Amino acid sequence: MTPVLAASALLLLLTLSYAAVCAASPFGNCRKCNGWGFQMKTDRKGRQKRGKDCRRCKATGKRIRVGRWLYNRWARIYRSGTG
């Protein structure tokens, strides 16, 4: 197996596995708040306490995956063009 063929097969495998993840679980944890929905901060004594709500995920803790967002955009454009 040549290196180019192996690299293309690996790239195809990675792409198909990411597509399967996006289809099975379209939402992932927010990267800013780690899925909590809010930031943690420390008070003056060093104890952890709840901070403000996360603005990126609107305090849900979940964000839509990039692959799923691209698929939704493609499907919306396709439906509007064929209807």
Side-chain angles (χ1 to χ4, degrees):
M1 193 179 222
T2 64
V4 174
L5 187 60
S8 62
L10 181 64
L11 186 61
L12 180 66
L13 178 69
L14 288 174
T15 303
L16 291 176
S17 62
Y18 183 69
V21 167
C22 288
S25 175
F27 294 97
N29 286 340
C30 178
R31 292 185 304 265
K32 188 172 183 180
C33 64
N34 294 324
W36 286 34
F38 53 87
Q39 292 285 338
M40 293 298 289
K41 66 180 190 177
T42 57
D43 61 2
R44 292 189 295 178
K45 293 181 181 178
R47 293 183 299 221
Q48 294 284 331
K49 71 184 257 189
R50 188 183 195 282
K52 293 182 180 181
D53 287 344
C54 180
R55 292 185 302 169
R56 182 177 287 176
C57 64
K58 296 180 180 70
T60 61
K62 298 291 181 184
R63 296 270 297 174
I64 193 161
R65 295 184 194 272
V66 175
R68 186 60 181 213
W69 182 85
L70 288 171
Y71 172 76
N72 289 347
R73 178 67 54 119
W74 173 81
R76 188 178 310 125
I77 291 170
Y78 181 78
R79 280 192 304 268
S80 69
T82 59

